[in-house]
Amino acid sequence: MPTGGRLVVVGNGMVGQRLVEALRERDTDRRWAVTVLSEEPRRAYDRVALSSYFDGASAAELDLVEPGCYETPGYALHLDETAVDLDRAARTVTTSRGRVLGYDALVLATGSFPFVPPVPGRDLAGCFVYRTLEDLDAIRAAATHARTHTRGRRAGLVIGGGLLGLEAARALRLLGMSPHVVELAPRLMPLQVDEGGGALLRELIEDLDVTVHLGTSVTSIAQERDGRMLATLTNGTELDLDLVVFSAGIRPRDQLARAAGLPGGERGGIVVDDACRTADDAIFAIGECACIAGRVYGLVAPGYAMAEVLADRLLGGATAFAGADVSTKLKLLGVDVASFGDALAATPGALEVTLNDPVRRSYAKLVVSDDARTLLGGVLVGDASRYASLRPLVGRPLPGDPVAMIAPGGTEVGAGALPPDAQVCSCHAVTRAAIDTAITTEGLTDVAGLKACTKAGTGCGSCVPLLKSLLAESGVAVSTSLCEHFDQTRAELFELVRVEGIATFTELVERHGRGRGCDICKPVVASILASLEHGHILAGEQAALQDSNDHVLANIQRNGTYSVVPRVPGGEITPEKLIVLGEVARDFHLYTKITGGQRIDLLGARLEQLPAIWTRLVDAGFESGHAYGKALRTVKSCVGSTWCRYGVRDSVGLAIELELRYRGIRSPHKIKAGVSGCARECAEAQSKDIGVIATENGWNLYVGGNGGFRPRHADLLLTDVDTETLVRTIDRFIMFYVRTADRLQRTAGWVESLSRDGVDGLAYLRAVLVEDSLGIATELDEAMARHVERYQDEWAAVLDDPQMLGRFVSFVNAPDAPDPTITFVTERGQPRPTPLPTPARRADVPLEVSR
C-alpha cells in the first residue's frame, strides 16, 4: 500500500470530507498531495441535517469543511467536476472538464443515489428526490408554486416511510403542505423499529397531520388538467397531489468502478477488504459506495469509521474496519425515535423486554441475551431520553433489571456505569476513556471544549447529554459559558450590555463573542436587550433574534394558527370589555377559552388576521398579555376582602397594581404571580414565582414557587409587611432575577442556586433585597422605575409601524390571502382545528410490560 504521493478523492460528501480532514490532521509531514473532486457546485455539507434547510438553516451553516482545509499546501478541491473515466493501468482519472489526474492512490467516495421505483409518471415535473440542497430548492419552488395555484388543501406524497422519508414528510409540513407517506412494509422505519414501536410511531406521526399508508405502494402517477397529479395506490386509493418526493432507499454509486473492472457486491457496491482496499491495491472505496464484509452501509457513522481506517492505512498504519455502530436517534416530525444494537432481536435466543405506555404515549424495548445478562439492543419511541446512556452498553453486562431501566421512574443508568472502552460518540468512535482523558489532561470544562478536542457530539448530536453527564461526574469545575459563541454566563452578558450601553447583538458578539450566534445565545441576548429597554423586540436587528412566538407576538398552535391573549389585570374586567372580546371572537371566528390565569384566550387566528384583531382590542383598551414571551404572564387573584367573607385585604386591587407595574418586563423565563386575600389561598399564590398572601397585619411574600415541570412550593421571604415594602421587595426580586439568573432558569431553580458558603438561597436573597448586603438596592429600584416609566404595549407599537406590520402576511405575493391548509370544524358551538386521523385508544389501558 502506498504511504505517500498523489492522492485523488472522488467525491466530497460527508465521508469523503471526513477522510480528507482525518488525513490532514495526521499527515503532519505532508506526504500526500490531495486532490478532491466534487460533483456538486458546493463543498461538503451536512446531509444528516438536510431538513434543517427548511427550518431556516443556510447552506453556509450546513457546510462541513474545516476552516483553512483547502488552503493547506498540497490540498485542492475542484467543485462541479467529477470523474468520468478511470484508467487503472495508467493510474489516471479523467474528469468531466477534460482534466487528466494521475494518482498513486485513488479513493472512491462517490456515495449513493436515490432509488426511484419504475412507477409510470415518475418523470413528471412535480416529482422529486430528496438528496441534495438543489433537490430541496426544487421542492421549495414547487411548494411555493402550489400556494398560489392550488385552491383548498395542498398535498404532497412521500414514497418511502424510512428515516429519510419521514424527514421528507417533515420538510413538506414546514412548507405548508399536508403530507402523505406510502410505505410498502407493514410499519414505518421497518429496518430500525419493531412492530410495537412502529404502531406507536404511526399514531404519533398521524397526530401531526401526516397521513400514513402502510402495506401498499404507488402503481402510477398521472398529470391532471389543473396541473396537479393523481397518484393511484395498489389498494385502490387515489391521492390528489401537488408534488411527489421519492425516498424509497438508495443504491451505491459504483458505476465508475464497475466500468474499470473492479468487483462489485451482489446487491451493488464496490467490494473492499477491512482496509477499505479494492481488488486494485492502489484504489480504495469508503462510505455508501463500498461493500465491506458483504454489506453496504447507508448511514454516516460507518462511513466515518471507514474514513478513519483509511487515513491510518495511507500513513502506514494497520487499523482494520471491524464493523460500525448503526444506531440511530432522530426527532422525526417532533417525535423521538431511537434504535440501537440488535433492535429487531435477530440474535438466536434473544429475549425482548417491552414496555408500552399508552398514557405517556411511549414505547421502549430492550433486547437481552438468552441468560438476560447482556444488553444486545433496543428501540425507543416517543421518549428517547435514555438512548445516550443505553446505547454504549450494547454487548456489555446489564447494570440492573431491564424492566427498571426503561420504566418511568425506574433505574437511571448514569455515566458512571460506562466502562472506559464504551463508545460514547458512535459518529466519531470516541470512547469514554478518550472523553475522560480530554477532560483531565486538557482541563476541559464545557461541551464546546469536548467537541473541539474529541469531535464527540459534532455528528448527529445524540451523545451531547452524555457528554454533559461525564463532565458533571468528572469532578472538574464545569464551565458556565452560555454557549460556544460566548464565554460569559447570561448574568455576565447582562452586565456587559448594561455597563457598556451595547444596543445590538452584532455589537455584543464583536466585542465579547465570536461567530454568528446560535439558537441559544440569540434569544438570550434579545431578552437582555428588551429588559434594558433597547427598543421594540421586532425593531431592526432585534426581530431576527426572537423565538418563534415572539416573532409574531402570539402563540403558535398545532394547526399553524395563533392564539391572542390580551392582558386582564387581576382577572378583573368590565362588561364593555367582555363584549368586545366576544365580538372579536365572533367576527374572526375564534375559539374562546378562559385560562387558568384568569384571562380569555382567543385561538385560531391566522397570521394575517393578527393586526386586525389587535386593532379592535387596542381600541377597546386592551394590550398584549405577553402570553408568548419570557415575561410576566399574570397576577392571579381571588376576590379578596371586597366580596369574600373570609378576605382580610384587597387582593384584586393589589394584583392589578402588580400586573400593571411589571407587565412587559423581559426575563430569563416566564414569571407568574398570585395574590390571595386570606390564608385559604384561593389564588394558589404559593405555587407561583411570586406569591402574596394577606394577613391581619399586612402581607406575606413568597418567592420561588413553580407549578410547571418541577412543582415546588414557594419559600416565605417576608411576613406581615406593608404594601410599600412589599412592592419594593418584589421590584428588587424581579430585577435581581433578570440580572443574575441563567438562561431559561425559573425562579425556583434560581433561588436554590443562590446558596453559598453555608447560607441557603433564601437567606442570601433576603440579605441582598432587604438588607442591601451587595449595595445594589438603589440600582435595582431605579431599574424598575425606568421600566415602569418607559413601558409601551407591543401590539400597539406594531400597529403604528408599517415596516413591522409587513411581517404579518402568510404569502408575500398575496398579503390578504388566507392559508388554505388551515381548516376548522365546529364542536360544542365553537371552531376547532380539523381533527387529525388518530387511531382510537383508551387512556385507561393499563401499563403493558412483557418479557
Side-chain angles (χ1 to χ4, degrees):
M1 176 180 287
T3 58
R6 300 163 299 171
L7 176 67
V8 175
V9 180
V10 181
N12 189 229
M14 297 178 71
V15 174
Q17 182 60 29
R18 177 60 182 273
L19 168 67
V20 171
E21 292 178 359
L23 183 63
R24 175 170 165 261
E25 181 181 335
R26 293 174 169 86
D27 186 16
T28 55
D29 297 331
R30 298 292 178 252
R31 286 185 268 169
W32 287 100
V34 181
T35 301
V36 182
L37 300 177
S38 172
E39 183 179 36
E40 294 190 56
R42 54 171 55 87
R43 308 189 308 181
Y45 55 89
D46 189 352
R47 293 189 196 276
V48 174
L50 201 60
S51 63
S52 66
Y53 193 53
F54 291 128
D55 275 326
S58 66
E61 289 171 322
L62 293 174
D63 187 285
L64 285 177
V65 179
E66 290 286 338
C69 178
Y70 292 106
E71 283 74 52
T72 303
Y75 282 67
L77 171 64
H78 300 289
L79 299 176
D80 202 17
E81 185 173 5
T82 189
V84 296
D85 185 64
L86 168 58
D87 187 333
R88 293 170 54 193
R91 290 195 175 182
T92 61
V93 172
T94 303
T95 76
S96 56
R97 296 180 181 272
R99 195 193 318 259
V100 178
L101 303 173
Y103 66 82
D104 295 293
L106 173 69
V107 178
L108 301 176
T110 48
S112 61
F113 62 88
F115 171 64
V116 178
V119 178
R122 64 188 182 279
D123 297 324
L124 292 174
C127 294
F128 306 92
V129 294
Y130 193 85
R131 183 66 175 169
T132 68
L133 286 175
E134 284 69 31
D135 294 333
L136 269 60
D137 284 334
I139 293 170
R140 189 200 302 271
T144 302
H145 179 269
R147 287 179 182 173
T148 55
H149 291 77
T150 299
R151 293 184 176 275
R153 196 174 183 88
R154 299 187 303 274
L157 170 64
V158 177
I159 299 177
L163 290 171
L164 200 58
L166 294 180
E167 283 291 309
R170 175 179 182 270
L172 295 186
R173 278 195 66 231
L174 291 172
L175 292 171
M177 310 199 79
S178 297
H180 292 260
V181 174
V182 171
E183 169 57 48
L184 181 60
R187 62 179 181 272
L188 295 170
M189 292 180 62
L191 298 180
Q192 292 84 21
V193 177
D194 63 355
E195 184 177 351
L200 177 62
L201 178 60
R202 174 179 183 170
E203 180 181 335
L204 295 174
I205 293 294
E206 289 189 325
D207 276 355
L208 299 167
D209 199 22
V210 177
T211 305
V212 177
H213 307 267
L214 297 177
T216 187
S217 60
V218 178
T219 60
S220 66
I221 305 169
Q223 192 80 57
E224 298 276 74
R225 290 183 179 179
D226 60 359
R228 302 184 81 195
M229 295 176 290
L230 183 71
T232 303
L233 308 187
T234 54
N235 61 12
T237 301
E238 294 185 333
L239 303 175
D240 191 24
L241 306 165
D242 293 282
L243 60 86
V244 175
V245 177
F246 286 92
S247 184
I250 57 174
R251 297 293 184 269
R253 297 189 64 179
D254 55 10
Q255 297 90 334
L256 184 68
R258 287 180 181 272
L262 292 172
E266 289 185 11
R267 298 187 178 183
I270 308 162
V271 173
V272 297
D273 60 17
D274 60 6
C276 300
R277 178 174 41 207
T278 69
D280 187 320
D281 285 346
I283 302 177
F284 307 86
I286 56 176
E288 293 173 341
C289 69
C291 177
I292 189 164
R295 179 174 182 179
V296 174
Y297 291 93
L299 298 171
V300 71
Y304 279 177
M306 293 181 213
E308 295 289 341
V309 167
L310 183 53
D312 180 69
R313 289 283 183 147
L314 288 171
L315 295 174
T319 306
F321 182 82
D325 189 348
V326 293
S327 302
T328 55
K329 177 182 179 294
L330 298 169
K331 187 177 283 290
L332 300 166
L333 291 149
V335 178
D336 279 335
V337 183
S339 169
F340 54 94
D342 181 13
L344 301 184
T347 302
L351 305 176
E352 298 179 72
V353 178
T354 61
L355 189 151
N356 188 21
D357 188 343
V359 177
R360 291 182 174 87
R361 305 187 79 185
S362 66
Y363 174 86
K365 179 181 80 172
L366 293 184
V367 180
V368 300
S369 59
D370 54 5
D371 60 1
R373 293 183 179 180
T374 305
L375 180 63
L376 302 179
V379 173
L380 303 169
V381 177
D383 177 8
S385 59
R386 304 197 183 197
Y387 169 80
S389 57
L390 289 172
R391 182 195 54 76
L393 295 175
V394 171
R396 302 178 184 279
L398 286 163
D401 177 62
V403 173
M405 290 168 63
I406 56 176
T411 304
E412 290 283 350
V413 180
L418 299 181
D421 62 338
Q423 199 173 82
V424 172
C425 174
S426 58
C427 293
H428 296 275
V430 183
T431 63
R432 183 205 169 134
I435 298 295
D436 290 342
T437 300
I439 292 172
T440 55
T441 61
E442 302 295 329
L444 301 179
T445 60
D446 58 16
V447 171
L450 280 177
K451 286 181 175 182
C453 182
T454 67
K455 294 188 178 179
T458 61
C460 69
S462 64
C463 63
V464 170
L466 193 54
L467 296 181
K468 294 179 179 178
S469 298
L470 289 171
L471 278 167
E473 293 189 10
S474 66
V476 302
V478 178
S479 169
T480 56
S481 299
L482 179 65
C483 68
E484 59 194 274
H485 302 104
F486 290 99
D487 295 329
Q488 301 83 358
T489 65
R490 181 199 170 277
E492 290 166 344
L493 286 178
F494 186 98
E495 286 304 303
L496 290 172
V497 173
R498 184 181 71 86
V499 173
E500 298 181 16
I502 296 172
T504 66
F505 178 84
T506 299
E507 185 181 0
L508 181 63
V509 80
E510 286 176 352
R511 289 197 198 180
H512 302 287
R514 56 193 166 271
R516 296 174 297 210
C518 61
D519 57 359
I520 293 176
C521 60
K522 285 182 177 179
V524 167
V525 174
S527 173
I528 291 172
L529 293 172
S531 65
L532 289 171
E533 313 298 331
H534 284 300
H536 193 282
I537 68 167
L538 296 185
E541 190 188 67
Q542 275 267 66
L545 305 178
Q546 305 299 330
D547 282 326
S548 56
N549 286 338
D550 283 302
H551 268 297
V552 292
L553 308 183
N555 285 42
I556 190 168
Q557 304 300 310
R558 64 183 294 178
N559 68 336
T561 60
Y562 297 87
S563 70
V564 177
V565 187
R567 187 170 300 286
V568 180
E572 182 180 271
I573 189 168
T574 65
E576 289 76 16
K577 285 190 173 182
L578 271 174
I579 290 170
V580 170
L581 290 178
E583 290 175 340
V584 168
R586 179 197 62 203
D587 295 347
F588 289 91
H589 199 54
L590 305 178
Y591 171 88
T592 58
K593 183 184 185 303
I594 296 175
T595 74
Q598 297 179 326
R599 301 194 291 193
I600 295 177
D601 199 348
L602 309 175
L603 298 100
R606 300 191 306 270
L607 181 64
E608 73 277 2
Q609 291 179 317
L610 291 176
I613 293 172
W614 294 342
T615 298
R616 294 272 295 272
L617 295 175
V618 170
D619 288 347
F622 287 104
E623 62 184 28
S624 167
H626 291 92
Y628 48 82
K630 299 294 185 288
L632 176 80
R633 296 292 178 85
T634 63
V635 181
K636 185 176 180 180
S637 77
C638 62
V639 296
S641 58
T642 308
W643 293 93
C644 179
R645 61 194 174 118
Y646 298 112
V648 294
R649 293 192 181 275
D650 180 11
S651 56
V652 178
L654 180 61
I656 293 171
E657 178 184 349
L658 296 178
E659 188 160 340
L660 294 178
R661 185 172 182 80
Y662 306 130
R663 58 188 170 177
I665 193 165
R666 295 284 164 159
S667 52
H669 211 297
K670 61 187 175 184
I671 300 174
K672 296 183 179 182
V675 181
S676 289
C678 73
R680 285 172 174 77
E681 253 284 68
C682 292
E684 301 164 330
Q686 291 182 75
S687 66
K688 304 292 191 290
D689 298 276
I690 299 166
V692 180
I693 300 178
T695 70
E696 294 288 348
N697 302 313
W699 304 98
N700 284 353
L701 173 60
Y702 293 81
V703 296
N706 179 10
F709 184 71
R710 289 178 55 209
R712 180 185 188 275
H713 269 82
D715 296 316
L716 180 61
L717 183 67
L718 297 176
T719 58
D720 295 333
V721 296
D722 57 63
T723 302
E724 181 181 356
T725 302
L726 174 78
V727 173
R728 182 173 64 245
T729 307
I730 297 174
D731 285 355
R732 295 174 181 177
F733 175 83
I734 292 176
M735 280 303 172
F736 193 45
Y737 168 62
V738 169
R739 280 196 185 190
T740 63
D742 200 359
R743 163 185 172 268
L744 298 181
Q745 186 177 34
R746 290 293 296 266
T747 60
W750 173 66
V751 172
E752 291 173 353
S753 72
L754 294 176
S755 301
R756 61 198 65 196
D757 300 327
V759 178
D760 67 48
L762 188 68
Y764 175 79
L765 198 58
R766 188 179 293 112
V768 173
L769 304 184
V770 180
E771 302 163 13
D772 195 15
S773 61
L774 299 181
I776 61 171
T778 301
E779 275 185 45
L780 299 177
D781 294 342
E782 291 173 349
M784 183 59 75
R786 282 194 301 273
H787 166 75
V788 174
E789 179 185 352
R790 298 176 185 176
Y791 168 77
Q792 64 170 342
D793 174 39
E794 290 175 355
W795 288 352
V798 169
L799 297 175
D800 290 337
D801 188 319
Q803 186 174 356
M804 285 195 283
L805 271 175
R807 299 170 57 88
F808 295 90
V809 293
S810 292
F811 308 110
V812 175
N813 58 348
D816 298 323
D819 186 339
T821 66
I822 295 174
T823 57
F824 299 91
V825 296
T826 300
E827 186 174 297
R828 296 191 296 275
Q830 292 213 75
R832 292 279 190 103
T834 300
L836 300 174
T838 56
R841 66 183 183 88
R842 292 174 50 196
D844 60 345
V845 175
L847 195 69
E848 174 190 324
V849 179
S850 62
R851 290 181 183 262

